[in-house]
Amino acid sequence: MPRAGAWGADLPLNEEQARERLLAAAEACYAERGPTRTRMSDIATKAGVNRSTVYYYFPNKDAVLAASFVRALADILASAEYYWQADAPFLDGLVAACLAGNQAARESPTARLLIANDEAAHTYHAAETSELWRDKLAEALGHRMAEAAAAGEVRDDLSSETLARWVTRINFSLMSEPASAEDGGEEGILRDLLAASLAPRTSPGKRAGKPPT
């Protein structure tokens, strides 16, 4: 593989290991100065490589930020997997998975740095425009939404991709700023607003109190 700058004596074995080292360096920089103030040159210095090496793997600092967020999601998604496997209606499983995932995000040192109130908007924008994030979203949630729609457990008038983005947008907000008790807390928001908005649509002729024509 062609090398993109000096790594010293300890060369990475492959492209994936090189990316992982750069992301680890980025996360160390985030802890020291915050994501917004971290520059590509800071990441290069921390990793012990030339700045051009960082650009070889990531086109800009938002791409690094999005990749760091996706990297942090691995443990968060794993903590929610149990609830997807439970024998429960889809929307009940979604609420439980969201609660577990959001709690795991708040306990993750890297995720906390990226979703802090003064960093959350920047992180979400960087992730939302990232192909890496879209692929991860489709893998983690999109296919489940599609299957639930086909089974009549969620609305089918919107694409599974749109529904998945809506779920993550709400949860991203809750990760960075938990719901107040007067709104029913986090579970209240997820159950009464998010899950309710995903429920299958009822046609006007079948609504309660109106007989079918």
Side-chain angles (χ1 to χ4, degrees):
M1 134 182 137
R3 297 297 176 187
W7 292 88
D10 187 18
L11 292 173
L13 299 177
N14 50 48
E15 296 267 338
E16 185 58 30
Q17 188 178 91
R19 284 173 57 87
E20 286 297 304
R21 286 194 195 176
L22 292 174
L23 291 176
E27 290 167 10
C29 291
Y30 297 159
E32 292 174 0
R33 65 188 70 225
T36 301
R37 292 186 295 276
T38 293
R39 301 168 299 180
M40 296 290 265
S41 57
D42 298 323
I43 297 169
T45 298
K46 183 67 70 174
V49 299
N50 300 324
R51 188 174 64 170
S52 60
T53 302
V54 186
Y55 280 107
Y56 177 84
Y57 293 98
F58 301 98
N60 52 55
K61 62 184 256 180
D62 276 0
V64 181
L65 184 63
S68 295
F69 185 61
V70 170
R71 186 173 186 252
L73 277 179
D75 291 339
I76 296 170
L77 293 174
S79 70
E81 188 62 30
Y82 167 82
Y83 299 96
W84 289 120
Q85 305 304 324
D87 185 17
F90 178 81
L91 290 176
D92 287 343
L94 174 65
V95 169
C98 288
L99 288 169
N102 291 350
Q103 183 59 35
R106 297 186 193 107
E107 294 172 356
S108 163
T110 299
R112 281 204 309 270
L113 287 170
L114 299 178
I115 62 176
N117 285 338
D118 57 344
E119 299 286 357
H122 183 200
T123 299
Y124 187 82
H125 174 75
E128 194 174 38
T129 57
S130 163
E131 183 176 345
L132 180 65
W133 166 247
R134 289 194 294 270
D135 290 345
K136 176 59 70 174
L137 189 58
E139 173 192 335
L141 189 56
H143 74 94
R144 288 185 166 113
M145 283 293 180
E147 292 170 0
E153 292 192 272
V154 300
R155 60 193 298 176
D156 60 2
D157 58 323
L158 296 172
S159 70
S160 59
E161 292 82 3
T162 296
L163 298 181
R165 285 196 298 271
W166 172 239
V167 170
T168 55
R169 180 178 288 270
I170 294 299
N171 280 284
F172 200 93
S173 175
L174 290 172
M175 286 178 201
S176 58
E177 187 174 354
S180 65
E182 65 182 0
D183 291 328
E186 188 168 344
E187 183 171 0
I189 292 291
L190 290 170
R191 192 172 299 282
D192 299 332
L193 296 179
L194 177 61
S197 73
L198 298 172
R201 303 296 88 180
T202 303
S203 62
K206 295 182 179 180
R207 286 177 185 158
K210 184 175 181 179
T213 56

